């Protein structure tokens, strides 16, 4: 009890002694702890009588136990005197578990008097606000102290209804019930805690204690007085402590550690649930309270691998009461427990102890597993052919594998040392350590992996290249734990890279400076890189080609030419292939190429990319086609000449035979005519059979006969010259395709459209003639075109009068037939200027057609086109 509390207590007692002879300090079980006597006590002898004292104690104990009244009277016979006493029970004690009992001696016939002034003085002296209720009138009055505490004026709260409105709504029912129970005699004391609203609107906790001081004849209360004690601070503190206690209790009960608290007599005060779980004890942990530690020990010792040792050790701890930490015990079921003992002392007095129990089985197994893993990984790290080191946060070595430091003694010495220590120990330049330190600090400060290369000279004087990595490791708070260093001797790799660079530079030079087109093609079929020659060949820039694939510029008819070869190469059946195909350049021209493709494979044998070599053979192909055409024409001419030579030899005999008669007649007639001219005789000479006129007539007739013979011979010659040419089954689709193939350059250059309308797809005719006829007609149709109009050519085959008719129609320049119609098929005749034309094609075509019994005709409109019809 503080000095202030003691002073308050003594003030209350002194005040109560003013209204009663004795004041007793009584606990709830009726025990009198202290008593005070008033100086004004009159019958001192009787009051100190043992009988009186015994009666006091008995009556007080009975009243406290039954708690029926707050006031009672009784009489005691002491000698020849009848002593009457009045006892009051007051709940004004600072300790809520105790009460003050005021015992006052009264006369036999006297009436009990209560000095209200003394009561008010007693109650106000306690520091509480006093209230006084006139129960029948439902009026209430408060002391000045009450008004001071709660801030109301004397006229603001004067009746019970006004006072009731000040009570917190949640507490009104509880307050009313407490008062009713007290008035009904169901409770010994009136004692209630509730919240009362102050004048500023805030609620404060109050302790209301009171007593009925006057009753009517039927026992109903007339006057009810008491106090309001401000307990707001206490309640808030209690709530705070209750919350903290609840939190601590919940925390302790939810700890992963078993907690057992004992008192100074080694009896259990508290055990949490985890304690029961650790020892597999069923039931509520609170059931262990009050049990001595010894029986609990014997119950638990059987669960240990060494129970006797456990019991002995525990009893020793209880005896010595010294701190014990991290004591480990193996359990019979294979678990491992760790326990601590912490003695509790207050003011240097032993008050008990706290036991903590932890199941560390997982931890021990984890440590064992970690140790096994550490050993396992160290074996792996020791066998890796790379430098591996681990630093702590201060850059001291924690681990070094044998690859980094081969000398075992030096390696063990270096653990716990720094690079500076190493340089001093090995007489190395400190700049090497300073350089390493800057890198380690950079990795730490920038919180990232750092990579660098070191160039060293080994003991053999050879230069070595080492690739280093430093990787910092941090905890959850961002503090560096350690750093992992990794180093690899990359000397061979550096040399290989240098060789590779040389090789690549050589390849790049050959690639870029090559006289043919070269390209690298990826596995996705797209250009990876191309040289300038290929760009010039196709008309595309390097950037444009790298966005497309070779297929995108390949002639549609040639896309699948090398598909099977690519498959074979991917399967590893071939390493390269050659093929001729056609590209379409950006300007739209056909580019004939010779393509050579080879594959470059990786170490696993899978293709990495392809190398393509592209040779432009357009000029060569055109020259070859021209040469083949010339050869075909020469071969045809050769065959015709040989045939004609034979025919001419035969014809010479026919001519000699057939012309001998007419020739002899003409000679005779001419001689006679000359003779007549010499004699200048127009009459019949005696020795001449005819006159000059007759001779001339005869010569004319002879010449006519000779001409008839010549015409006949010419017809025979034509028949003879053609009688040995073979007839072929000409497939017009194939024939047209082959001719278009020969003319493809100009077809694509002029973007010509050629359409086929073939009612007759196979024609029996000498192929060499038919091919030459169609070639000349198509080539002329492609040659004589408008610059701004897309050429359109239609080819028809039909049956007309049981003969095949071939028609070629175009939308070209056309021919002025009124001007040139009579010259259409003559030798060396041309009809358009500015074109490479010798006037031979149509002449030969007509000759060939007619040589086999056919004919050719033409219709044409200048500027709109021409149509040639060939009847075979």
């Amino acid at each position: 009890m503080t000095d202030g509390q003691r002073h308050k207590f003594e003030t209350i007692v002194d005040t109560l002694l003013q209204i009663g002879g004795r004041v007793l300090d009584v606990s709830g079980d009726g025990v009198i702890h202290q008593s005070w006597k008033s100086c004004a006590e009159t019958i001192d002898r009787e009051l100190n009588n043992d009988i009186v004292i015994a009666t006091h104690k008995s009556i007080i104990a009975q009243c406290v136990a039954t708690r029926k009244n707050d006031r009672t009277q009784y009489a005691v016979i002491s000698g020849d005197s009848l002593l009457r006493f009045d006892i009051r029970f007051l709940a004004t004690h600072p300790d809520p578990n105790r009460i003050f009992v005021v015992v006052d001696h009264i006369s036999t016939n006297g009436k009990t008097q209560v000095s209200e002034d003394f009561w008010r003085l007693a109650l106000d002296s306690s520091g509480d606000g006093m209230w006084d209720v006139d129960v029948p009138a439902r009026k209430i009055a408060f002391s000045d102290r009450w008004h001071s505490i709660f801030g109301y004026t004397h006229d603001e709260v004067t009746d019970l209804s006004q006072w009731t409105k000040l009570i917190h709504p949640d507490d009104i029912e509880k307050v009313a019930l407490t008062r009713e129970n007290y008035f009904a005699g169901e409770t010994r004391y009136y004692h209630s805690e509730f919240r009362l609203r102050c004048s500023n609107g805030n609620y404060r906790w109050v302790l209301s204690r009171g007593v009925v001081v006057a009753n009517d004849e039927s026992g109903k209360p007339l006057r009810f007085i008491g106090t309001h004690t401000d307990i707001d601070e206490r309640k808030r503190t209690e709530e705070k402590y209750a919350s903290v206690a609840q939190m601590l209790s919940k925390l302790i009960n939810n700890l992963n550690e078993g907690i057992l608290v004992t008192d100074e007599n080694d009896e259990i005060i508290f055990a949490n649930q985890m304690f029961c779980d650790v020892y597999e004890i069923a039931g509520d942990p609170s059931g262990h309270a009050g049990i001595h530690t010894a029986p609990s020990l014997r119950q638990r010792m059987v669960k240990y691998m060494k129970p006797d040792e456990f019991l002995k050790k525990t009893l020793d701890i209880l005896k010595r009461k010294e701190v014990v930490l991290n004591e480990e015990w193996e359990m019979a079921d294979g678990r491992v427990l760790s326990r601590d003992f912490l003695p509790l002392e207050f003011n240097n007095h032993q008050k008990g102890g706290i036991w903590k129990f932890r199941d560390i089985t997982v931890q021990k197994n984890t440590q064992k597993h970690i140790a096994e893993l550490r050993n396992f990984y160290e074996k792996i790290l020791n066998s890796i052919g790379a430098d591996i080191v681990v630093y702590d946060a201060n850059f001291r070595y924690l681990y070094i594998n044998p690859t980094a430091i081969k000398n075992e003694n030096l390696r063990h010495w270096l653990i716990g040392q720094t690079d500076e220590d190493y340089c001093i120990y090995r007489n190395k330049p400190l700049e090497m350590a300073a350089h390493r330190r800057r890198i380690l600090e950079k990795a730490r400060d920038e919180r990232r992996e750092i990579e660098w290369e070191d160039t060293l000279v080994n003991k053999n004087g050879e230069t070595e290249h080492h690739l280093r990595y430093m990787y910092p490791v941090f905890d959850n708070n961002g503090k560096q734990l350690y750093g992992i260093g990794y180093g690899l001797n990359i000397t061979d790799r550096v040399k290989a890279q240098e060789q590779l660079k040389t090789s690549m530079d050589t390849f790049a030079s050959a690639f870029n400076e090559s006289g043919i087109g070269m390209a690298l093609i990826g596995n996705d079929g797209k250009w990876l890189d191309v040289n300038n020659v290929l760009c010039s060949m196709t008309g595309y820039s390097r950037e444009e080609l790298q966005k497309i694939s070779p297929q995108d510029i390949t002639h549609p008819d040639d896309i699948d030419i090398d598909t099977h070869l690519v498959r074979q190469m991917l399967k590893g059946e071939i390493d390269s292939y050659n093929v001729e195909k056609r590209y379409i350049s950006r300007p739209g021209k056909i580019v004939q190429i010779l393509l050579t493709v080879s594959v470059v494979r990786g170490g696993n044998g899978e293709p990495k990319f392809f190398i393509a070599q592209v040779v432009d053979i357009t000029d060569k192909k055109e020259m070859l086609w021209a040469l083949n055409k010339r050869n075909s024409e020469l071969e045809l001419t050769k065959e015709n000449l040989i045939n004609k030579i034979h025919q001419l030899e035969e014809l010479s005999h026919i001519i000699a035979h057939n012309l001998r008669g007419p020739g002899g007649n003409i000679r005779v007639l001419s001689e006679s005519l000359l003779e007549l001219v010499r004699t200048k005789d127009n009459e019949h000479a005696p020795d001449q059979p005819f006159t000059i006129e007759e001779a001339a007539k005869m010569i004319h007739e002879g010449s006519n006969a000779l001409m008839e013979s010549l015409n006949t011979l010419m017809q025979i010659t034509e028949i003879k010259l053609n009688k040995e040419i073979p007839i072929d089954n000409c497939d017009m689709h194939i024939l047209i395709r082959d001719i278009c193939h020969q003319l493809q350059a100009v077809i694509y250059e002029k973007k010509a459209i050629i359409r086929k309308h073939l009612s007759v797809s196979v024609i029996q005719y000498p192929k060499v003639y038919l091919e030459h006829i169609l070639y000349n007609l198509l080539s002329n149709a492609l040659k004589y075109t408008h610059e701004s109009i897309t050429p359109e050519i239609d080819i028809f085959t039909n049956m007309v009068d049981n003969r095949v008719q071939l028609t070629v129609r175009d939308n070209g320049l056309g021919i002025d037939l009124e001007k040139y119609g009579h010259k259409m098929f003559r030798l060396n005749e041309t009809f358009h200027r500015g074109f490479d034309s010798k006037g031979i094609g149509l002449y030969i075509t007509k000759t060939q057609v007619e040589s086999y019994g056919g004919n050719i005709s033409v219709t044409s409109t200048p500027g709109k086109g021409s149509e040639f019809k060939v009847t075979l």
Side-chain angles (χ1 to χ4, degrees), residues 73 279 576 710 757 795 839:
Q73 292 182 359
Y279 285 102
S576 63
L710 287 174
H757 313 275
I795 303 173

Side-chain angles (χ1 to χ4, degrees), residues 5 15 41 48 60 81 108 155 183 301 332 367 372 384 455 482 558 609 627 688 707 746 767 833 857-858:
Q5 292 172 331
T15 303
E41 179 64 53
N48 287 310
I60 290 171
S81 300
T108 306
D155 57 353
F183 284 172
M301 63 182 288
Q367 290 174 351
E372 292 174 350
I384 292 177
T455 302
Y482 49 85
D558 295 350
F609 59 91
L627 180 60
Q688 293 295 331
M707 287 302 298
V746 67
K767 181 179 179 181
R833 294 181 180 181
S857 62
V858 59

Side-chain angles (χ1 to χ4, degrees), residues 304-318:
Y304 287 84
M305 288 286 291
K306 300 177 180 179
D308 294 335
E309 183 179 342
F310 168 76
L311 179 61
K312 179 181 178 182
K313 180 67 176 177
T314 305
L315 293 175
D316 183 62
I317 294 172
L318 291 173

Side-chain angles (χ1 to χ4, degrees), residues 600-794:
V600 177
R601 301 183 184 276
N604 58 358
E606 294 297 321
K608 295 184 67 178
F609 59 91
F610 301 88
I611 300 176
Q613 301 179 58
V614 185
V615 180
D616 186 350
I617 58 172
T618 304
D619 294 340
K620 176 182 176 182
K621 293 292 289 185
E622 290 179 353
M623 291 175 61
L624 183 61
W625 287 333
L627 180 60
N628 289 337
K629 179 182 176 183
R630 293 290 185 182
N631 287 339
S632 298
E633 293 176 351
L634 289 174
E635 187 65 28
L636 178 62
T637 302
K638 173 186 173 183
E639 291 178 0
N640 288 337
L641 287 175
I642 293 173
N643 186 36
K644 288 178 180 180
I645 288 172
H646 292 296
Q647 292 173 357
L648 288 174
E649 288 178 352
E650 181 179 354
L651 183 61
S652 64
H653 295 289
I654 296 172
I655 292 173
H657 179 271
N658 291 347
L659 296 182
R660 184 177 294 116
N665 291 334
I666 290 173
R667 185 181 64 184
V668 173
L669 291 173
S670 62
E671 289 177 353
S672 299
L673 182 59
L674 290 173
E675 183 64 29
L676 289 173
V677 171
R678 274 197 302 272
T679 60
K680 297 182 181 181
D681 186 4
N682 292 327
E683 299 295 333
H684 290 285
D687 55 350
Q688 293 295 331
F690 38 76
T691 63
I692 292 175
E693 183 179 355
E694 291 174 337
K697 183 178 181 180
M698 293 177 66
I699 290 173
H700 176 72
E701 291 176 353
S703 65
N704 286 338
L706 181 59
M707 287 302 298
E708 289 178 1
S709 297
L710 287 174
N711 288 334
T712 301
L713 290 175
M714 285 300 295
Q715 293 177 2
I716 294 173
T717 299
E718 288 179 0
I719 296 173
K720 293 269 184 195
L721 291 177
N722 291 295
K723 69 178 181 180
E724 294 181 3
I725 297 177
I727 302 299
D728 301 299
N729 290 322
C730 301
D731 189 324
M732 291 303 293
H733 290 285
I734 297 175
L735 192 65
I736 294 171
R737 182 199 67 188
D738 292 341
I739 294 172
C740 288
H741 187 73
Q742 296 176 37
L743 298 171
Q744 62 184 341
V746 67
I747 292 173
Y748 275 93
E749 182 177 359
K750 295 190 175 185
K751 296 181 175 54
I753 299 173
I754 299 177
R755 293 184 287 262
K756 297 182 292 183
H757 313 275
L758 306 180
S759 297
V760 181
S761 58
V762 179
I763 298 176
Q764 292 183 340
Y765 201 81
K767 181 179 179 181
V768 64
Y769 275 12
L770 189 55
E771 183 179 24
H772 193 270
I773 292 167
L774 187 56
Y775 179 91
N776 278 321
L777 294 178
L778 284 178
S779 62
N780 283 345
L782 290 169
K783 181 184 295 184
Y784 303 107
T785 60
H786 299 280
E787 292 184 1
S788 60
I789 299 176
T790 300
E792 294 184 11
I793 303 170
D794 294 274

Side-chain angles (χ1 to χ4, degrees), residues 374 377-378 381-382 387-401 404-405 411 414-419 436 440 469-473 480-487:
R374 179 183 177 87
Y377 287 122
E378 280 192 0
L381 293 175
N382 289 341
D387 303 341
I388 300 177
V389 299
V390 180
Y391 297 91
D392 66 10
N394 296 315
F395 308 125
R396 292 187 295 263
Y397 286 98
L398 298 176
Y399 168 79
I400 308 170
N401 75 339
I405 302 292
R411 188 167 65 253
L414 197 50
I415 300 300
Q417 307 296 327
T418 64
D419 287 310
R436 182 73 56 84
L440 300 180
Y469 295 91
M470 175 60 188
Y471 183 79
V473 179
Q480 183 178 4
L481 297 175
Y482 49 85
I484 300 175
Y486 178 85

Side-chain angles (χ1 to χ4, degrees), residues 519-530 534 538 540-556 559 562 581-586 593 595 610 612 614:
L520 303 180
I521 303 173
N523 288 333
D524 58 356
K526 291 188 176 181
W527 309 98
L528 297 177
D529 196 9
V530 296
L534 187 60
T538 61
Y540 290 94
S541 67
R542 186 187 305 269
E543 291 74 17
E544 290 174 330
L545 287 177
Q546 287 175 337
K547 294 178 182 178
I548 60 177
S549 68
Q551 299 292 75
D552 294 328
I553 64 171
T554 299
H555 190 284
I559 288 178
D562 55 348
K581 62 191 318 184
R582 291 165 291 176
Y583 282 165
I584 301 175
S585 68
R586 185 166 187 174
I593 64 165
L595 177 65
F610 301 88
V614 185

